[in-house]
């Protein structure tokens, strides 16, 4: 740990270390390994805040290793992935390597729409909206037309979701379409109706 820190890597306190008592558990191989990953360490004003969270988690669980990472700044990720690779049992893939998620396409659409609704509106509005995909039309040019409905409980919520001159629902449609294009590798036109 000290050598990595001296070589310009992460500070020694941020490097992975075994949790107390985990050495005995590793040797007999009788348990499923549990790893604690504390992310966003770059947000902590001082290391003691991160260590305080670690102590809280340790009080309620036992961990084989503890990693401090910052996904945004790419700190600690190499050590984490190397550890996970070293502990993984070699076997054939359950899903094809090119598969990005096992979630059905309709659920992916709902998830992406929900993501934006929760990001843009206060906490109670998204819970007043139900969703359903009502149309799925593959086109001759290889693109896909999807029609998706947002079912709202009252006209106030409908006006909020639509926005002035339909600006919010248009932005929602554009952003979800863009993400689906990237995820599925094809041109997707999403039409969103508010009812």
């Amino acid at each position: 740990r000290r050598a990595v820190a001296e070589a310009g890597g992460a500070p020694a306190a941020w490097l992975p270390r075994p949790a107390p008592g985990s050495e005995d558990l590793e040797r007999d191989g009788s348990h499923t390994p549990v790893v604690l990953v504390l992310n966003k360490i770059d947000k902590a004003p001082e290391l003691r805040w991160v260590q305080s969270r670690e102590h809280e988690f340790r009080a309620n669980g036992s961990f084989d290793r503890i990693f401090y990472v910052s996904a945004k700044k790419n700190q600690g990720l190499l050590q984490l992935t190397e550890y996970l690779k070293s502990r993984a049992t070699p076997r054939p893939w359950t899903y094809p390597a090119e598969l990005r998620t096992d979630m059905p396409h309709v659920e992916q659409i709902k998830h992406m729409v929900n993501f934006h609704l929760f990001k843009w509106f206060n906490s109670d509005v998204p819970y007043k909206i139900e969703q359903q995909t009502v149309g799925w039309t593959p086109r001759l040019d290889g693109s896909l037309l999807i029609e998706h409905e947002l079912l709202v409980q009252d006209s106030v919520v409908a006006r909020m979701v639509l926005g002035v001159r339909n600006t919010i629902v248009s932005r929602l449609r554009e952003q979800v379409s863009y993400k689906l294009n990237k995820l599925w590798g094809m041109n997707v036109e999403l039409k969103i109706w508010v009812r």
Side-chain angles (χ1 to χ4, degrees):
R1 289 175 38 173
R2 187 176 305 280
V4 172
E6 290 171 0
W14 291 1
L15 293 175
R17 61 188 181 282
S22 65
E23 296 84 6
D24 298 331
L25 293 173
E26 276 185 28
R27 272 188 242 117
D28 73 3
S30 64
H31 80 294
T32 302
V34 178
V35 177
L36 174 63
V37 180
L38 296 169
N39 190 20
K40 299 184 185 289
I41 59 168
D42 56 307
K43 295 279 191 184
E46 296 178 21
L47 180 60
R48 66 185 173 101
W49 293 102
V50 179
Q51 290 171 334
S52 168
R53 292 296 297 156
E54 175 189 336
H55 291 298
E56 287 177 36
F57 282 108
R58 274 201 201 164
N60 296 305
S62 176
F63 306 100
D64 292 324
R65 289 280 191 271
I66 299 167
F67 291 89
Y68 294 172
V69 302
S70 169
K72 183 176 182 179
K73 295 191 176 183
N74 204 20
Q75 293 176 329
L77 295 179
L78 181 63
Q79 293 90 349
L80 173 61
T81 54
E82 290 301 319
Y83 174 77
L84 293 174
K85 285 179 191 176
S86 72
R87 297 293 298 203
T89 305
R91 60 177 156 242
W93 288 97
T94 304
Y95 298 102
E98 66 275 0
L99 185 67
R100 296 186 182 174
T101 178
D102 62 345
M103 189 183 298
H105 282 85
V106 172
E107 291 299 316
Q108 290 177 39
I109 297 166
K110 287 181 181 178
H111 181 74
M112 288 184 192
V113 168
N114 268 339
F115 170 78
H116 289 290
L117 292 175
F118 277 98
K119 186 168 78 170
W120 295 341
F121 295 104
N122 66 28
S123 59
D124 65 331
V125 171
Y127 293 107
K128 296 178 179 178
I129 301 170
E130 293 183 27
Q131 302 180 45
Q132 63 184 15
T133 300
V134 293
W136 192 277
T137 311
R139 293 183 171 157
L140 295 175
D141 64 357
S143 65
L144 179 63
L145 172 64
I146 300 171
E147 296 176 87
H148 195 73
E149 286 185 344
L150 301 180
L151 308 170
V152 297
Q153 292 180 355
D154 57 44
S155 62
V156 174
V157 175
R159 287 194 303 267
M160 290 174 71
V161 172
L162 288 169
V164 176
R165 296 188 185 116
N166 294 335
T167 53
I168 293 178
V169 76
S170 295
R171 197 168 95 199
L172 177 64
R173 181 180 61 244
E174 290 168 6
Q175 292 196 11
V176 173
S177 292
Y178 175 78
K179 288 184 178 183
L180 292 174
N181 287 337
K182 292 286 192 188
L183 183 65
W184 297 345
M186 64 186 312
N187 188 20
V188 177
E189 181 185 349
L190 178 68
K191 293 191 176 188
I192 297 179
W193 313 107
V194 178
R195 293 181 32 180

